[in-house]
Amino acid sequence: MAGTGIGGDTELATPDDTRVLLVGNPNVGKSVVFSRLTGVGTMCSNYPGTTVEFLEGSMRLAGERVPVIDVPGTYGLAATCPAEDVACRILDDGGVIVNVIDATNLERNLALTLQLRQRPLRMVVALNLWDETRHRGIHIDAERLSELLGVPVIPTSAVAGVGIRDLVEAIEHVATSETPEVLEPGDVWCRLGTIIEEVQQLEHRHHTWRDVLEDITIKPVTGILFGILVLLAAFAMVRFFGETVIAYVMEPLFETLWRPVVTALSEALGGAGFIHDLLVGSYVLIDGVRTLDFVQSFGLLTTGLFVVFGMVMPYVTAFYFVLGLMEDVGYLPRLALLLDRVMHRLGLHGYAVIPILLAFGCNVPGILATRVLDTRRERFIAATLISVGVPCAALQAMIFALLGPHGVQYVLLVYAILVIVWFVLGTVLRLTSRDFLPEIILEIPSYRRPSFRTLWQKLAMRLRGFFREAVPVVFLGVVVIDLIYMTGAFDLIARLAGPMMETLFGLPPETALAIAVGFLRKDVAIGMLAPLDLSAIQLVKSSVMLALTFPCIATYAVMLRELGWLDTLKATGLMLTIALVAGVAMNLVL
Amino acid sequence: MRARLENMGLRPGKSVTKLSSMPSGGPIMVECGGTRVALGRGIAQHVRVRGASQRSESGTDRDE
């Protein structure tokens, strides 16, 4: 069953006719069916010219390996949003259709099935979530449904792996047979009613614990309390996992296994020089000892590798796991519903909460995730808000370490100021953009038992994406900072900007250098503040300034790629303005 | 918009149940034919509901 990514497979003469397309409404367990059919080794692609992603894998069909595509979820064949548009375009390119439908919600799902049946397509219907129908007192006559639709209907429970073998057989059969006759055009809704009446019987349903949970999570008061609990638990899990892995796995690995290698390389290169500083970095003084430091030396093989694997990856892995869990259980749409009103004040929809949540781990995946937003304007606002006002896990850890000893009230003050800045900036963005923000229409799926198979597959895919996107950028960032350091530009920045820091913000001139370094790594920059002997209030001010000014270079590069030059410049302008205003305001008020 | 709602199962003549409503003009959540959907207040205002019975279920006559 296992197969590898199939991008650019040239073996197949007419890949479009043999490939298998999984089509269905959102939230019907399509991805679980996909992971059952394809096993490991999938890849995530963008449909050419769009930002809509879909999964691609392969399966063995009648002795041959054929591509399988998990088409973005769609409610109908008229494109009403970017994801649906991509779904329609993939369908137009041909293939064998596996229409995955939710057996617990036959009526809505069959609307798409009937629309598909009005096209000349070879197709199989997978009646998924079949096991759920029993708990809910739903009886469906699958054979009769198959007769009425004129295509095979296979009951499946993909999470448990039930019915997958039958489904594969049916796909094989359909793939080699003639295209079934198209259902004559007619009123889809009318026919839908007749079919439902004939094949489905409903029993009276008892109130289950799921209904109770449902009620708690969507009513305004209890829902918001529940939401806060879920988010706190998520943050706690991510921090716990991230910190544990860093302290007990990554740091020991780097110190015991990697340090000897780097030290030997440093000696071989003569301990200094251009190539040496680029690869290994420069020696720094830590507690009076001249040493190579994985955080501060800024070599490709020291800081470059350590930032990716030792600092960011553990948090990102934990974040993706928790997020995937919330996704698969079906909680995220409810969070979007609860927060829609608040997000509208910032010119965003409720579901922008997903990228923003992600950004609290690391801004890079957060900004990448803004792709889920429908309009360009929303993507711009979300990316700007993230880069300006969402401190990543590394930055938060440093703020805690630096301000914690002065008292927790100072830590809270930093967060409070960030929240204020956030809402001011969000309001400005909302009022200045002229685009129309369409209102939310969002299906709230039932709570589901997550499939760990799918969770794992999704985690692996997202991590691969993270490495592809982030690693080159971090390496580039390290090279750039090395080159700037060598030209002495940082000293110049500190000398030029220093007096300004004093008069405008009431901070010592040396903090300018920290903020300049913050462009590359925020956590490193905050570390630079430690020896300056600042007062608690000065630390609060400089922490806020660091959080508000440029995101780290990795985030910046991703922004550039996602938004383009013009919008990135606009975001930068906003960022500098708001940092300036906030800095002066803090100097006057605090 | 209408097509999207219809494909999601919200069609004229179906019965809808309001499940929840966010304060200060936030979205409302309805159930219709087994599907739960969150709708922005503005869209929801365009959904005309006819003849609610005691159990707050009602026939609808939707009008975009």
Side-chain angles (χ1 to χ4, degrees):
Chain A
M1 73 175 183
T4 48
I6 48 79
D9 196 339
T10 49
E11 289 294 300
L12 296 156
T14 50
D16 288 348
D17 283 345
T18 56
R19 65 182 189 172
V20 173
L21 305 177
L22 296 186
V23 187
N25 289 177
N27 314 310
V28 296
K30 212 155 47 65
S31 301
V32 187
V33 174
F34 177 82
S35 80
R36 284 283 170 192
L37 289 178
T38 57
V40 291
T42 55
M43 57 180 227
C44 190
S45 325
N46 270 342
Y47 194 79
T50 69
T51 51
V52 177
E53 289 177 337
F54 59 88
L55 285 175
E56 218 175 316
S58 68
M59 67 183 282
R60 194 162 280 284
L61 209 57
E64 270 190 82
R65 199 148 271 293
V66 298
V68 184
I69 292 176
D70 187 3
V71 179
T74 178
Y75 292 106
L77 293 182
T80 56
C81 70
E84 292 194 347
D85 183 45
V86 166
C88 295
R89 279 153 70 182
I90 294 176
L91 278 180
D92 289 340
D93 294 340
V96 179
I97 311 292
V98 177
N99 178 210
V100 183
I101 67 180
D102 174 358
T104 64
N105 199 335
L106 200 57
E107 188 171 343
R108 189 198 69 214
N109 282 261
L110 281 181
L112 175 65
T113 311
L114 288 172
Q115 289 177 45
L116 285 167
R117 283 294 288 119
Q118 293 187 341
R119 294 184 173 202
L121 297 163
R122 288 169 296 164
M123 67 182 267
V124 183
V125 172
L127 198 50
N128 199 31
L129 301 171
W130 183 248
D131 53 346
E132 285 276 314
T133 56
R134 245 170 302 147
H135 309 309
R136 303 201 186 188
I138 301 169
H139 299 281
I140 298 170
D141 185 346
E143 273 176 42
R144 185 73 190 120
L145 182 60
S146 171
E147 279 168 33
L148 288 169
L149 291 172
V151 292
V153 174
I154 315 293
T156 58
S157 300
V159 171
V162 176
I164 298 300
R165 197 181 301 251
D166 297 339
L167 182 63
V168 173
E169 269 173 31
I171 298 171
E172 271 180 4
H173 183 72
V174 166
T176 51
S177 58
E178 291 291 299
T179 306
E181 244 175 77
V182 172
L183 286 184
E184 70 270 29
D187 186 5
V188 168
W189 308 129
C190 193
R191 181 175 290 144
L192 189 59
T194 340
I195 294 179
I196 293 292
E197 216 159 277
E198 207 168 319
V199 303
Q200 180 174 269
Q201 280 180 323
L202 300 178
E203 271 172 36
H204 178 68
R205 240 180 96 211
H206 296 286
H207 216 60
T208 62
W209 63 271
R210 274 193 224 210
D211 297 316
V212 177
L213 182 65
E214 182 64 65
D215 253 14
I216 291 174
T217 52
I218 57 157
K219 295 286 188 211
V221 177
T222 49
I224 285 166
L225 284 176
F226 187 85
I228 291 170
L229 279 180
V230 168
L231 290 182
L232 286 179
F235 277 105
M237 255 174 90
V238 170
R239 285 204 68 169
F240 174 76
F241 179 86
E243 276 161 23
T244 310
V245 170
I246 290 173
Y248 295 102
V249 182
M250 290 307 177
E251 277 177 354
L253 272 181
F254 268 88
E255 285 301 330
T256 54
L257 294 178
W258 193 235
R259 183 174 286 283
V261 178
V262 176
T263 312
L265 183 68
S266 166
E267 276 165 21
L269 288 169
F274 181 72
I275 300 290
H276 176 275
D277 285 357
L278 214 54
L279 286 179
V280 188
S282 41
Y283 282 85
V284 289
L285 283 177
I286 289 182
D287 300 329
V289 183
R290 196 170 162 277
T291 178
L292 284 170
D293 183 76
F294 285 124
V295 177
Q296 296 177 34
S297 281
F298 270 99
L300 280 176
L301 299 177
T302 49
T303 307
L305 283 180
F306 189 72
V307 161
V308 173
F309 292 98
M311 293 169 85
V312 181
M313 193 193 73
Y315 283 116
V316 170
T317 310
F319 241 101
Y320 281 156
F321 178 77
V322 172
L323 187 84
L325 196 64
M326 289 207 277
E327 251 172 13
D328 286 7
V329 168
Y331 185 65
L332 288 183
R334 289 163 177 87
L335 203 56
L337 165 74
L338 289 168
L339 293 176
D340 189 63
R341 191 69 211 137
V342 179
M343 299 300 272
H344 263 274
R345 293 194 193 285
L346 309 171
L348 292 168
H349 271 314
Y351 36 77
V353 71
I354 297 165
I356 289 165
L357 273 182
L358 267 175
F360 275 100
C362 170
N363 281 359
V364 173
I367 290 187
L368 286 176
T370 57
R371 288 179 186 175
V372 302
L373 304 176
D374 282 340
T375 63
R376 199 183 155 72
R377 163 192 189 256
E378 286 170 80
R379 286 198 289 275
F380 172 71
I381 294 180
T384 307
L385 283 176
I386 286 172
S387 64
V388 173
V390 179
C392 67
L395 179 60
Q396 293 181 69
M398 293 302 286
I399 291 177
F400 268 93
L402 206 60
L403 274 170
H406 291 276
V408 74
Q409 70 270 28
Y410 293 109
V411 179
L412 291 177
L413 187 58
V414 171
Y415 281 89
I417 296 170
L418 286 179
V419 169
I420 295 170
V421 168
W422 228 65
F423 276 87
V424 170
L425 179 62
T427 310
V428 170
L429 286 170
R430 172 171 61 94
L431 295 176
T432 49
S433 67
R434 277 155 296 165
D435 284 349
F436 170 67
L437 179 66
E439 283 198 66
I440 194 170
I441 302 183
L442 185 63
E443 192 201 339
I444 311 288
S446 306
Y447 283 117
R448 300 256 164 77
R449 182 160 54 99
S451 146
F452 280 91
R453 200 188 161 87
T454 324
L455 262 178
W456 172 246
Q457 206 178 40
K458 199 153 44 174
L459 180 65
M461 190 194 76
R462 284 181 164 161
L463 279 180
R464 269 204 300 275
F466 168 75
F467 282 117
R468 228 187 5 247
E469 314 276 351
V471 172
V473 174
V474 171
F475 278 27
L476 185 78
V478 169
V479 172
V480 169
I481 199 173
D482 278 342
L483 294 178
I484 296 177
Y485 244 114
M486 286 172 199
T487 58
F490 274 110
D491 291 335
L492 197 68
I493 294 169
R495 227 174 314 137
L496 289 178
M500 194 179 81
M501 300 301 290
E502 191 111 56
T503 42
L504 284 179
F505 313 129
L507 291 170
E510 293 88 345
T511 49
L513 187 62
I515 287 174
V517 169
F519 182 49
L520 290 139
R521 283 303 300 179
K522 295 280 181 182
D523 35 6
V524 176
I526 288 219
M528 291 172 65
L529 295 174
L532 292 182
D533 207 22
L534 299 174
S535 72
I537 287 295
Q538 278 179 322
L539 277 175
V540 168
K541 282 194 246 176
S542 30
S543 299
V544 171
M545 292 295 282
L546 260 174
L548 293 182
T549 45
F550 299 101
C552 71
I553 191 146
T555 308
Y556 216 67
V558 175
M559 263 179 96
L560 205 59
R561 231 198 51 194
E562 295 295 310
L563 298 178
W565 281 103
L566 198 65
D567 278 353
T568 307
L569 269 178
K570 262 201 270 179
T572 312
L574 280 166
M575 198 182 293
L576 291 176
T577 317
I578 201 121
L580 199 68
V581 172
V584 173
M586 281 189 296
N587 195 21
L588 294 176
V589 175
L590 294 179
Chain B
M1 181 75 76
R2 188 183 171 120
R4 190 170 166 81
L5 286 179
E6 287 190 346
N7 283 331
M8 287 173 104
L10 236 70
R11 293 194 298 277
K14 305 287 295 181
S15 84
V16 291
T17 313
K18 189 175 99 177
L19 295 178
S20 173
S21 160
M22 293 299 131
S24 70
I28 67 160
M29 183 167 155
V30 297
E31 171 160 7
C32 180
T35 307
R36 301 195 193 94
V37 186
L39 295 175
R41 198 56 71 99
I43 295 170
Q45 272 165 358
H46 285 285
V47 178
R48 293 210 194 112
V49 184
R50 189 173 51 204
S53 70
Q54 305 100 308
R55 293 175 58 232
S56 81
E57 278 180 49
S58 48
T60 61
D61 187 8
R62 239 191 8 77
D63 201 319
E64 148 63 15

